[in-house]
Structures are given as C-alpha cells and as structure tokens.
Amino acid sequence: MTAPSRPPLKSITPTPTTPHAAPQPVDTPAVGEPKGVAEGVPIAVRPDPQQGDGRYPVAWLHICAPRGAVPTATSKCLCGRDRSAVGKARVLALIADHEAHRDECPLRTPQKGRTAA
C-alpha cells in the first residue's frame, strides 16, 4: 500500500536582518476641508456665542453640614470679606451676616456721593 499524500509543508519566511521603512502615502495638496470632517462642522474652537446679561458672582457662601458632624461655613466676597464659622449656632449667625452683607457690600451698592468719571 502507498502512504496517503500529505499537503506540502509551508515554508518559513526568513526574518529580515535590517529594518525597513513603512511605505509612506503620497502627499496630497492641503486644499479645502481636512479629510474626515463632516460638512458644516466648524474646525476651529470658537468663543461661546452666548452673551451674558452683565451679572457675575460677587459673594459666595459655602456651608458644609454632614450628618452627625459639626457644620462649618465660609463667607467670601470680592470686596475682601472672608469669614468662617464652626458649629451650628455660629454657622446660622454667619448665614444671617452674609445675607446682611448683600445690602452693605460696596461692590453691589453704588457709593453715595461718588461722582461719575
């Protein structure tokens, strides 16, 4: 009997001894939109077109009162006011003081007797 025929063995590709550079794409002219950008999508980052109404924050009140812990609070204003309180009674007093500062802050209320430039 004859032995069944086997498929020929694959030959092992020899490993190159020197590195080869990968083929580089042909330069294309830089005209028009970059590839991969959808039509109508802006490429450059533009400023936010929304305009504010002229208001901006002047004073901040930060209260931290985790359950079962001592509450703390800080009251800061752009006029230079910076106060803090620890404990329930003092935090409540600071909240009332922060609310009263709204009417007294020189940045929120126009100065009387001040002449316009």
Side-chain angles (χ1 to χ4, degrees):
M1 255 189 166
T2 61
S5 66
R6 293 185 186 170
L9 296 175
K10 293 184 179 178
S11 62
I12 298 174
T13 307
T15 306
T17 57
T18 58
H20 295 282
Q24 300 297 317
V26 177
D27 290 337
T28 56
V31 178
E33 295 290 324
K35 299 295 180 187
V37 176
E39 187 175 327
V41 176
I43 297 170
V45 177
R46 296 183 182 157
D48 190 5
Q50 298 175 353
Q51 297 295 325
D53 58 358
R55 298 183 299 174
Y56 57 94
V58 174
W60 296 266
L61 177 65
H62 181 260
I63 303 168
C64 184
R67 184 180 298 242
V70 178
T72 59
T74 56
S75 174
K76 294 184 180 185
C77 184
L78 290 178
C79 71
R81 182 177 189 271
D82 186 3
R83 298 187 180 168
S84 61
V86 178
K88 184 177 179 180
R90 290 185 179 181
V91 167
L92 292 173
L94 182 63
I95 293 170
D97 187 50
H98 181 83
E99 290 175 353
H101 179 71
R102 290 181 190 169
D103 298 328
E104 301 167 0
C105 180
L107 298 177
R108 290 181 45 100
T109 57
Q111 298 293 322
K112 294 181 181 177
R114 199 172 185 186
T115 59

